[in-house]
Amino acid sequence: MRRSAGWWPASRTRSTVRSAPSLTVASVLEQKCADFAAEAARGKLKRSSLSDFVEVVESASSLLVGNLKRAADLVQSFKQVAVDRSYFERRPFDLGEVTEQVLANLRPALPKNNLALEVDFAPDLAMNSYPGPYGQVLTNLFVNSVAHAFPDGKGGTITIRLRAAGTDRVEVLFGDDGCGMASEVRRQAFDPFFTTRRDNGRIGLGLHIVHNIVTNRLGGELQLDSTPGIGTHMRITLPRVAPQRVTDG
């Protein structure tokens, strides 16, 4: 059987579908459908061609659904921030209580990723700050750890500890016992659009957003420590009273 110039070998197509971003996957799928239709029209369709086509369609559909869900979640997050004006308001709150509220939405991701969560809160961590941006920081750290720290699927443990740092500051210690980062990755971790998982639909903004929120909105500092094969730990130091912004009040 003579194949058209646009026909990709099945093994190459499946590999491309598994590793490519959505636009590439959609383009490959479109071409595959056209080639399949042309072969069927010539009356030379073989069982092996049908099997290859079904496998590629299943792989492409799965990847596209996953990427579209991540995009929808991201858009929903942006919409929620846009409509919820309280997200940008500074107000008194207890750091432990807000942390538990955030974790209530994140805990369902633990069992399906074979992960455990250890949490240790010091009592009475009163804040006058921005609970919305703080929750975004915690969410991004959690999602980043789930996505990057345990690539072998063996699972592990994420730890979150909150404690006072003197009378006017608090520390948020976030860590995991995952694969850790190489030195070159650690140096670029906070750079915009840097990611080691672009082939899996990641765009590399999670830790960049964390850095911006901590330093610009919350008036804090953060320190990253990561060792390959041991894990990654983030120390975030925040003032109990966040800096006043011109738009506040």
Side-chain angles (χ1 to χ4, degrees):
M1 179 179 62
R2 182 178 180 275
R3 293 180 175 178
S4 64
W7 187 284
W8 289 27
S11 59
R12 180 183 171 189
T13 304
R14 287 193 293 271
S15 174
T16 302
V17 166
R18 285 195 297 267
S19 62
S22 295
L23 183 59
T24 302
V25 173
S27 298
V28 170
L29 185 58
E30 181 181 34
Q31 183 63 54
K32 190 73 172 178
C33 288
D35 292 337
F36 181 82
E39 189 173 359
R42 291 194 299 268
K44 298 181 179 180
L45 188 62
K46 292 185 177 181
R47 183 181 296 273
S48 59
S49 299
L50 178 59
S51 297
D52 288 342
F53 179 73
V54 170
E55 185 174 351
V56 170
V57 169
E58 288 178 344
S59 299
S61 298
S62 177
L63 190 145
L64 288 171
V65 168
N67 283 357
L68 287 171
K69 184 178 184 304
R70 283 192 291 271
D73 291 343
L74 185 61
V75 170
Q76 182 61 34
S77 176
F78 289 157
K79 287 172 64 178
Q80 182 176 355
V81 170
V83 301
D84 185 4
R85 295 183 59 187
S86 66
Y87 181 92
F88 295 104
E89 293 178 358
R90 190 179 72 167
R91 65 174 176 84
F93 64 92
D94 181 83
L95 188 63
E97 291 179 2
V98 169
T99 299
E100 278 291 7
Q101 292 170 7
V102 174
L103 293 179
N105 294 322
L106 300 176
R107 289 181 189 274
L110 294 170
K112 63 183 179 181
N113 289 285
N114 195 26
L115 297 175
L117 177 64
E118 295 181 359
V119 183
D120 182 22
F121 297 168
D124 303 323
L125 294 177
M127 305 284 289
N128 188 356
S129 186
Y130 301 90
Y134 166 73
Q136 185 67 58
V137 166
L138 195 60
T139 298
N140 281 20
L141 290 177
F142 183 93
V143 171
N144 190 77
S145 185
V146 171
H148 297 279
F150 308 99
D152 55 6
K154 293 181 180 179
T157 302
I158 294 173
T159 60
I160 301 173
R161 293 182 171 85
L162 310 179
R163 65 190 186 190
T167 58
D168 60 349
R169 301 177 77 81
V170 298
E171 284 186 344
V172 179
L173 307 176
F174 185 99
D176 64 61
D177 59 359
C179 63
M181 302 180 188
S183 57
E184 61 271 18
V185 174
R186 190 170 62 249
R187 285 194 298 269
Q188 301 177 77
F190 297 119
D191 293 350
F193 302 107
F194 173 75
T195 179
T196 59
R197 301 289 299 278
R198 195 171 304 281
D199 62 343
N200 203 27
R202 308 293 173 179
I203 60 176
L205 284 176
L207 291 184
H208 175 68
I209 292 174
V210 166
H211 184 273
N212 279 349
I213 292 177
V214 168
T215 58
N216 296 330
R217 170 66 66 167
L218 303 178
E221 302 171 351
L222 68 170
Q223 178 181 353
L224 173 65
D225 182 27
S226 186
T227 304
I230 296 180
T232 299
H233 296 84
M234 187 88 66
R235 181 192 304 271
I236 300 175
T237 306
L238 302 174
R240 288 182 182 255
V241 179
Q244 186 79 18
R245 295 173 62 91
V246 176
T247 55
D248 296 337

